Structures are given as C-alpha cells and as structure tokens.
Amino acid sequence: MEVILIYQEERLVKILERLHKEKMISNQEICDMLGISRDTVRRDFIRLVDEGAAIRTHGGIALPQFKDKIKAYKERINASSEDKYKIGKIAASYISKGDLCFLDVSTTVKFLCDHLNTSSTVYTHSLDNAEALSNNNEVDVYLLGGKFNHENRFFFDVHVASQLNDIYFDKVFLGAAGILKDGIYFSNYEDAVIKGIVAERSKEVILLADSQKFNQISSYKGVDLIDIDMIITNENPPDEFRKSFEENNIKIRLIHEGKTVKDYFEGV
C-alpha cells in the first residue's frame, strides 16, 4: 500500500492513459515512464486486471475492448477517494477524550488519523498512521515493532501478539480487504492475525469500509462478524448481508445519512 492511496490511483490513471494510446504496454515501459520499481508496476497491473480495466499479457498488459473505460475509472477513483475521506472523518468523531484505541493499517483509517483532534492514546502497526499522527500533540502514539512489510506498510513479529494480549482497548478501528457473510478478510496472514487479536480485546470494534469491499474476496479471515459493533460505509450493504448483520447486532452508519452528518461536513 502506498503512503497515500491516491498516489497509486494517479499512477493507475497515467498507466491507463498510456495503455489507451498504445493498446499494449510492458512492465519495463511503465518503470521507465513513472520511475518506479518492477514490484510496484506488478501491483498496479494486478489492480487494473482485477478491476477489469486491463488484461494480462506476457510481460505486461493489454487494453480490453470496453468503451470509455478510462473515463469511468477516473470517475470511480474520485468518488471512492472522497467517500473514504468522509468515512475516515466521521470515524474520527467517534473517538472520545482519553480513549485507548487501536488504528489499523488502511487508507481509510489513515484519513481518520488526518482528522483526529481528540486527546487520546493510539496503538498502531501502520507506518502511515504513525507518520500522519507524528505532529499531533493531542495524541500519544505507540508504533508496534517488528519486521516491516513493504507492500502493505505495517510491522509485525511474534512479540507484537504478546504485547497486544496485555492491552484492552476502548475502541478498535479496522479496514478490510474484503467483507463476506462469514467475516472480514485481509490480504496478508500476519496482518489478519493482528486484527483478530485486537478485535477480541476491545469494548467496541468499528469497521471502516467503502461499498466495494462487500463480496470482495481476499485470502485470510481475521475477524468474525460477531466481533464487529459498527460499520461506517458509503452505501447500504447488499441485501444478502442484512440478516447476518442483524443477527450479530452490527450497526450501519452511512456517511450521507442524517442531519448530523451534513452538519459535520459543512464547509468541506
């Protein structure tokens, strides 16, 4: 994950614009054009293929025959980034003075950090969260240690699990790679382990997720639905989730819902 996800989104648009002109591009062409590593190009290509904006070729990607794909992708980027910003900002309002919180590694949670102005204590394994809070004198920040995962930008080792088992949080704010009817999924096993521990050791677990995460498949389940208290999202979840959420007493908070939300974003 990039320092700020929109940086990746801007790269993807540039890649798509080049792809639209050339119809087919290689890994090396994009490395040279954007001055980025082959690993970064590979992740960007995977993202474009997963979203249906490109198809894989030997050593690169090619343009599928979908009309107005670049325009639609740009519109989706703008809408998605704005909604994640609002989700994060709303989530920050749920932190009360003196709260002991865990903040997950997630672009949306990073937006929470950008708007957190309440005196509180935060534990996180995310380098980006720690950087976002580094000049915030209202927040005491504890960055968990271990080996740095360059792709997803978090720290982990076995001692982290032991340390977290000695803490009970007021609130935990989680992101998600995918939400299925049996739980919350993540792309990295070690990261999923951390989510599972903190979710069981908190008075309240709040999931921050845009609507694209519903029915999105990822590799490792970290949290069961029974551990989630609230989901802050931009759209009503699909109907097939309704029963599971009701059975597990999960509250849904929509960012566009209610007078208080409009008041909260007045002037933004």
Side-chain angles (χ1 to χ4, degrees):
M1 186 178 295
E2 302 300 323
V3 175
I4 301 177
L5 186 60
I6 197 169
Y7 291 165
Q8 184 191 39
E9 309 286 14
E10 290 172 351
R11 287 202 314 271
L12 297 180
V13 170
K14 290 180 180 178
I15 293 171
L16 276 174
E17 289 173 342
R18 176 70 175 266
L19 182 60
H20 184 70
K21 293 178 182 178
E22 304 293 337
K23 310 302 180 186
M24 184 180 297
I25 51 178
S26 69
N27 294 15
Q28 191 58 52
E29 284 179 272
I30 300 305
C31 287
D32 295 340
M33 181 180 81
L34 299 180
I36 56 179
S37 70
R38 291 182 69 86
D39 283 344
T40 300
V41 172
R42 177 181 58 81
R43 292 194 295 271
D44 288 350
F45 281 6
I46 289 172
R47 172 87 179 272
L48 292 174
V49 171
D50 285 346
E51 299 214 7
I55 57 175
R56 293 303 298 266
T57 64
H58 181 67
I61 54 174
L63 184 69
Q65 299 305 308
F66 296 138
K67 188 177 180 180
D68 295 329
K69 178 62 70 174
I70 293 177
K71 180 180 178 182
Y73 194 82
K74 286 181 177 179
E75 291 173 350
R76 195 159 67 247
I77 285 170
N78 291 336
S80 176
S81 297
E82 181 181 356
D83 283 347
K84 288 178 180 179
Y85 174 92
K86 291 179 179 179
I87 291 169
K89 192 169 185 180
I90 282 287
S93 70
Y94 280 89
I95 296 180
S96 302
K97 184 176 181 180
D99 273 352
L100 174 61
C101 301
F102 181 89
L103 302 184
D104 189 16
V105 53
S106 157
T107 306
T108 312
V109 177
K110 193 267 178 186
F111 284 133
L112 182 164
C113 296
D114 291 337
H115 295 99
L116 181 56
N117 55 16
T118 304
S119 178
S120 54
T121 299
V122 163
Y123 280 77
T124 186
H125 62 320
S126 164
L127 178 60
D128 298 332
N129 289 349
E131 289 178 343
L133 294 169
S134 61
N135 293 319
N136 189 335
N137 294 326
E138 294 294 323
V139 182
D140 292 329
V141 182
Y142 292 85
L143 178 61
L144 301 173
K147 182 179 179 180
F148 183 59
N149 182 303
H150 290 271
E151 182 174 359
N152 295 310
R153 300 184 62 77
F154 70 87
F155 296 90
F156 178 85
D157 69 13
V158 293
H159 301 295
V160 168
S162 176
Q163 183 178 359
L164 290 172
N165 276 320
D166 292 330
I167 304 172
Y168 197 81
F169 297 99
D170 293 302
K171 297 181 180 77
V172 163
F173 294 85
L174 299 179
I179 304 172
L180 300 179
K181 286 188 289 185
D182 69 331
I184 315 303
Y185 284 75
F186 306 92
S187 60
N188 180 276
Y189 174 73
E190 289 82 4
D191 191 32
V193 168
I194 292 176
K195 327 281 196 184
I197 293 172
V198 297
E200 292 180 353
R201 302 194 58 77
S202 179
K203 297 176 185 175
E204 187 174 9
V205 178
I206 301 175
L207 181 68
L208 313 184
D210 64 90
S211 58
Q212 295 179 13
K213 300 299 174 61
F214 292 100
N215 285 319
Q216 180 71 37
I217 296 174
S218 197
S219 301
Y220 304 100
K221 184 168 78 169
V223 181
D224 291 317
L225 289 183
I226 195 172
D227 294 318
I228 303 296
D229 297 291
M230 179 187 295
I231 299 176
I232 304 177
T233 187
N234 56 325
E235 297 178 9
N236 273 315
D239 289 341
E240 61 264 30
F241 285 87
R242 185 176 300 170
K243 183 178 179 181
S244 297
F245 289 170
E246 289 177 353
E247 290 175 346
N248 290 285
N249 297 313
I250 298 174
K251 299 176 184 177
I252 303 298
R253 173 71 187 270
L254 300 179
I255 61 173
H256 305 297
E257 183 180 73
K259 181 178 179 181
T260 57
V261 177
K262 292 180 182 178
D263 290 346
Y264 192 75
F265 289 108
E266 186 176 358
V268 173

